[in-house]
């Protein structure tokens, strides 16, 4: 998710469940809810740094535990209030809660993260929400802004409320978010079931995936892998039977060859294939050998992607690797 969504979600969490913390506590909670996105800077560095650090260290359970320890230690050392003061007791809990909420929100996206880093490099994603969801952003904004407008009106007429500021609105907003994600998960599972039940060009699917549209919760950009091809299509899922909203674009897999095998065994390709979900290789004959490019079709299926990483391996006529590296490229438009 984008930092603004994370910040609003953390603020809603604070208002709904930790409404009486000080303004310094609110600032700490919101900061904890967005700090994980510091790994965004890896997207402006080398491709290898991006694959190594993007959504790993700062999106791990270990990172949340470190934040919890730091918050508890700070509260213990700077405590000036009595042990019966509830804000002093619970402010530190809200900080790692916001950091954990960040991970949960990012798990709903298609860009996988490694929550068990550094003990496991396995990445997880639920594929149900885009990185910038206008509906989610609108719901969280309303949960924060609408209670403030109501408060201004009631204060103007002299009916000042003694209840925690914006608590009801925040809880309603977070409840809506849960229902919204539940609906998206239902539409997503329906699209997946539909893909698994259909054949593509007479072939049964080996693997399928459905990725969210950047605007509509009913459109899903899908990939179907068969033994000989990778297929791109858009499905419309509204709880009933999913239907095609576009034609199917078929990309044939290259035939096995010594050049393809050597390229896929290179350290560069091995690193990239650990990250790619639907790798697609292209083998091209050059004047002095062959070049093999491996990209992740997931990046092409996602509308929000503007650039992505691919592996570029060059070989001579004896299938010996001359050069190999990871590079950035602009993503081709979705068919």
């Amino acid at each position: 998710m984008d930092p603004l969504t994370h910040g609003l979600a953390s603020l809603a969490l604070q208002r709904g469940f930790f409404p009486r913390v000080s303004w310094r506590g609110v600032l700490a909670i919101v900061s904890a809810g967005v700090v994980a996105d510091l790994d965004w800077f890896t997207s402006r560095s080398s491709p290898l740094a991006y694959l190594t650090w993007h959504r790993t260290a700062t999106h791990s359970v270990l990172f949340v535990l470190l934040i919890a320890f730091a918050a508890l230690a700070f509260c213990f050392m700077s405590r000036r209030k009595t042990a019966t003061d509830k804000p002093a007791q619970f402010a530190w809990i809200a900080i790692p809660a916001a950091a954990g909420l960040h991970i949960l929100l990012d798990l709903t996206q298609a860009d996988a993260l490694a929550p068990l880093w550094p003990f496991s490099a396995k990445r997880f994603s639920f594929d149900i929400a885009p990185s910038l969801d206008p509906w989610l952003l609108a719901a969280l904004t309303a949960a924060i802004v609408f209670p403030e407008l109501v408060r201004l009106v009631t204060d103007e007429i002299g009916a000042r409320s003694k209840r925690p500021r914006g608590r009801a609105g925040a809880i309603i907003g977070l409840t809506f978010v849960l229902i919204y994600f539940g609906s998206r998960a239902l539409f997503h599972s329906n699209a997946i079931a539909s893909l698994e039940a259909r054949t593509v060009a007479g072939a049964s699917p080996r693997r399928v995936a459905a990725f969210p549209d950047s605007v509509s919760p009913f459109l899903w950009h899908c990939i179907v892998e068969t033994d000989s091809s990778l297929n791109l299509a858009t499905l419309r899922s509204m709880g009933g039977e999913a239907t095609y909203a576009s034609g199917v674009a078929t990309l044939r897999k290259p035939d096995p060859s010594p050049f393809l095998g050597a390229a896929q065994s290179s350290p560069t390709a091995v690193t990239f294939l650990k990250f790619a979900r639907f790798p697609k290789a292209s083998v091209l004959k050059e004047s002095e050998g062959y070049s093999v490019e491996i990209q992740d079709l997931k990046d092409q299926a996602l509308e929000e992607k503007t650039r992505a990483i691919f592996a570029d391996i060059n070989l001579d006529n004896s299938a010996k690797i001359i050069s190999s590296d990871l590079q950035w490229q602009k993503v081709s438009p979705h068919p």
Side-chain angles (χ1 to χ4, degrees), residues 11 13 123 148 317:
L11 185 57
L13 178 71
R123 291 175 177 258
E148 292 298 322
N317 287 316

Side-chain angles (χ1 to χ4, degrees), residues 4-19 21 23 25-27 29-31 33-34 98 101 140-141 143-145 148 165-167 169-171 174:
L4 179 58
T5 299
H6 283 303
L8 290 173
S10 300
L11 185 57
L13 178 71
Q14 176 270 316
R15 288 196 167 187
F17 300 98
F18 309 95
V21 299
W23 68 267
V26 174
L27 182 61
I29 292 168
V30 174
S31 298
V34 301
L101 179 61
L140 291 172
T141 301
I144 300 300
V145 173
E148 292 298 322
R165 184 171 185 171
R167 184 174 192 179
I171 292 176
L174 292 173

Side-chain angles (χ1 to χ4, degrees), residues 26-268:
V26 174
L27 182 61
I29 292 168
V30 174
S31 298
V34 301
V35 69
D37 281 340
L38 285 174
D39 65 0
W40 173 86
F41 291 102
T42 61
S43 65
R44 295 296 177 265
S45 60
S46 69
L48 182 58
Y50 182 85
L51 296 184
T52 303
W53 297 110
H54 184 66
R55 298 200 164 194
T56 56
T58 61
H59 287 74
S60 65
V61 175
L62 177 61
F63 186 70
V64 175
L65 292 177
L66 290 175
I67 288 179
F69 177 79
L72 179 59
F74 180 81
C75 287
F76 178 78
M77 290 186 296
S78 62
R79 184 174 59 187
R80 291 192 296 258
K81 298 183 179 181
T82 64
T84 58
D85 196 331
K86 291 185 178 180
Q89 292 177 353
F90 291 106
W92 76 270
I93 300 177
I95 294 173
L101 179 61
H102 185 118
I103 293 178
L104 291 176
L105 288 174
D106 280 355
L107 276 171
T108 65
Q109 298 176 247
D111 278 338
L113 54 88
L116 302 180
W117 182 95
F119 309 104
S120 172
K122 185 175 177 61
R123 291 175 177 258
F124 300 87
S125 64
F126 296 151
D127 301 340
I128 63 173
S131 60
L132 177 59
D133 191 328
W135 303 105
L136 177 61
L137 189 59
L140 291 172
T141 301
I144 300 300
V145 173
F146 185 72
E148 292 298 322
L149 296 177
V150 173
R151 185 185 182 91
L152 287 175
V153 172
T154 55
D155 287 352
E156 190 69 23
I157 63 176
R160 183 177 296 273
S161 175
K162 296 183 179 179
R163 292 178 296 178
R165 184 171 185 171
R167 184 174 192 179
I171 292 176
I172 292 173
L174 292 173
T175 301
F176 174 84
V177 168
L178 287 176
I179 296 173
Y180 176 70
F181 279 138
S183 300
R184 271 194 170 274
L186 176 63
F187 300 151
H188 178 262
S189 63
N190 185 54
I192 292 293
S194 179
L195 292 171
E196 292 175 337
R198 301 178 182 185
T199 60
V200 178
S204 299
R206 290 179 54 192
R207 288 193 305 150
V208 301
F211 301 113
D213 186 75
S214 58
V215 177
S216 174
F218 307 117
L219 292 179
W220 300 88
H221 304 290
C222 307
I223 300 177
V224 180
E225 181 182 8
T226 66
D227 290 332
S228 61
S229 66
L230 289 157
N231 304 272
L232 297 170
T234 300
L235 283 186
R236 182 177 289 104
S237 173
M238 301 180 66
E241 182 180 358
T243 58
Y244 281 110
S246 72
V248 178
T250 297
L251 303 174
R252 295 293 176 184
K253 296 180 179 179
D255 295 327
S257 69
F259 304 99
L260 179 60
Q264 291 176 330
S265 299
S266 68
T268 297

